[in-house]
């Protein structure tokens, strides 16, 4: 069955959805996006994603094309029209489609392009990978300097994912000035002597919505959190490691660059945080 997707005010079968070849998202990666998880037919952390979307747009001098309530209605309508139970909603907003290619931005009143579609992943919360943990490799971070803006410039993260797969791993952690920034599409953490260590927020990383929730739950559970950058060597010598994102939630990492982390199986802290995160986000989902 084909999906019903949203394009600029219309709900259409995916085959009928069209965007101009002059769209700035297509030609210039002049666009931002969000991915919101859906569990049991409900949206998790919608407000966090909407707030970050507004911030990303603002940092690029773009406006929010609709109110937050209208955006929520579209998300819910897509869940309903596609009978989505578990998975996610991808949203992308571009600076629009002027009638030619030009480095200069088009006039401010150029209509933005707004696209949303669902991705169904049945049983997402019970992913077998979470029981086994994933393997990562380290690669240089060659992305631009404003990774806090969630733009669609995903070529390098996509290449990083391919480098990881070619090396027999699952994902890559990117390294800049000797310290891990983040994963290709997730935030990175280690656990040492009971302390959760993750890079502090700056322009260097995406301010993960899952990260914010997980750190809040960790503090509520009296776990110690240290926000600072760490090296690959520290990760290899850590007791545990994990990643967070809206699509992986909390996912244990059991190997980095071929070295087992801890005993090479998902750690206690990561597994506990995954449980808490899923329980709380399902409770708070809307
Ligand atoms: N990626 N860092 C990067 C570079 C990301 O692309 C993502 C999310 C995260 C985690 O952010 P959040 O917890 O808000 O999902 C961190 C999404 C899931 C994606 O690109 O599919």
């Amino acid at each position: 069955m084909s999906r019903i997707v949203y394009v600029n005010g219309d709900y259409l079968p995916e085959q009928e959805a069209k965007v101009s070849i002059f769209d700035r998202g297509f030609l210039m990666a002049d666009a931002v996006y969000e991915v919101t998880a859906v569990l049991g037919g409900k949206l998790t952390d919608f407000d966090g994603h909407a707030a970050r979307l507004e911030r990303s747009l603002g940092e690029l001098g773009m406006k929010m094309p609709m109110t937050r309530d209208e955006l929520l209605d579209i998300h819910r309508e897509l869940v309903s029209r596609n009978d989505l139970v578990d998975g996610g909603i991808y949203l992308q907003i571009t600076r629009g489609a002027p009638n030619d290619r030009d480095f200069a931005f088009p006039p401010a009143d150029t209509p933005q392009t707004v696209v949303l579609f669902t991705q169904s992943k049945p049983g997402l919360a019970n992913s077998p990978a979470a029981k086994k943990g994933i393997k990562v490799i380290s690669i240089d971070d060659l992305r631009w300097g404003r990774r806090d803006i969630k733009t669609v410039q995903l070529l390098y993260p996509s290449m990083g994912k391919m480098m990881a797969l070619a090396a027999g791993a699952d994902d890559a952690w990117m390294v800049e000035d000797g310290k891990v920034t983040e994963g290709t599409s997730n935030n990175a953490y280690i656990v040492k002597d009971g302390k959760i260590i993750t890079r502090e927020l700056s322009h260097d990383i995406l301010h993960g919505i899952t990260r914010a929730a997980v750190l809040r739950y960790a503090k509520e559970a009296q776990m110690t959190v240290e926000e600072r950058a760490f090296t690959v060597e520290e990760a290899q010598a850590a007791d545990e490691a994990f990643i967070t994102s809206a699509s992986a939630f909390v996912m244990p990492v059991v190997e980095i660059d071929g070295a087992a982390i801890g005993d090479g199986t998902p750690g206690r802290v990561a597994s506990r945080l995954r449980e808490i995160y899923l329980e709380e986000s399902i409770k708070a989902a809307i």
Side-chain angles (χ1 to χ4, degrees):
M1 198 188 77
S2 98
R3 269 178 290 198
I4 299 296
V5 304
Y6 175 93
V7 187
N8 298 329
D10 295 322
Y11 292 91
L12 299 168
E14 60 187 43
Q15 301 84 343
E16 291 171 28
K18 288 190 175 51
V19 173
S20 162
I21 61 160
F22 297 119
D23 194 277
R24 302 250 330 161
F26 177 61
L27 294 179
M28 306 272 179
D30 190 358
V32 300
Y33 77 108
E34 281 296 331
V35 176
T36 303
V38 172
L39 288 173
K42 289 187 173 174
L43 302 158
T44 62
D45 267 329
F46 175 80
D47 277 326
H49 289 286
R52 185 173 61 193
L53 173 67
E54 287 160 11
R55 179 180 179 278
S56 291
L57 289 167
E59 291 296 301
L60 296 177
M62 280 193 245
K63 58 184 193 306
M64 179 83 168
M66 61 186 76
T67 66
R68 210 183 268 198
D69 281 345
E70 286 165 341
L71 193 64
L72 176 58
D73 286 344
I74 299 171
H75 277 75
R76 285 182 159 156
E77 190 64 30
L78 282 177
V79 169
S80 151
R81 290 191 187 218
N82 291 287
D83 294 323
L84 183 63
V85 180
D86 293 331
I89 301 212
Y90 176 87
L91 162 153
Q92 180 168 328
I93 299 177
T94 87
R95 205 181 298 274
N99 49 18
D100 204 351
R101 177 176 182 266
D102 191 344
F103 278 77
F105 290 173
D109 60 358
T110 304
Q112 288 161 286
T113 302
V114 182
V115 168
L116 286 93
F117 56 81
T118 53
Q119 292 189 296
S120 175
K121 293 178 188 161
L124 180 62
N126 300 313
S127 141
K131 295 185 181 70
K132 251 178 49 197
I134 62 161
K135 298 176 182 175
V136 302
I137 59 164
S138 64
I139 60 172
D140 284 342
D141 196 336
L142 300 182
R143 296 173 301 163
W144 79 323
R146 289 302 306 275
R147 303 151 193 162
D148 56 310
I149 307 173
K150 200 163 171 56
T151 73
V152 300
Q153 301 176 74
L154 296 177
L155 178 56
Y156 188 67
S158 181
M159 289 170 74
K161 181 84 178 176
M162 293 311 292
M163 289 183 237
L165 297 178
D170 303 291
D171 200 7
W173 279 9
M174 295 176 280
V175 176
E176 186 171 61
D177 298 331
K179 304 275 172 65
V180 173
T181 52
E182 58 188 332
T184 59
S185 61
N186 44 70
N187 291 114
Y189 307 71
I190 57 173
V191 181
K192 185 69 181 174
D193 300 328
K195 199 185 290 174
I196 299 163
I197 302 165
T198 193
R199 196 176 176 108
E200 70 281 4
L201 296 181
S202 70
H203 288 174
D204 298 340
I205 61 169
L206 185 73
H207 302 189
I209 302 305
T210 320
R211 177 189 184 280
V214 163
L215 293 188
R216 193 172 67 243
Y217 298 141
K219 287 173 191 163
E220 282 168 12
Q222 317 300 327
M223 298 178 185
T224 313
V225 175
E226 195 175 316
E227 293 184 62
R228 65 160 176 87
F230 56 84
T231 63
V232 168
E233 293 69 32
E234 254 187 296
Q236 289 176 323
D239 302 322
E240 297 184 29
F242 61 94
I243 56 164
T244 63
S245 78
S247 44
F249 310 123
V250 178
M251 179 66 68
V253 172
V254 294
E255 194 181 294
I256 178 160
D257 288 340
I261 298 170
D263 65 3
T265 64
R268 220 168 31 88
V269 173
S271 303
R272 180 73 193 119
L273 282 174
R274 182 178 172 87
E275 261 170 36
I276 300 176
Y277 177 78
L278 284 170
E279 199 179 300
E280 295 296 326
S281 10
I282 289 168
K283 232 191 287 176
I286 59 171

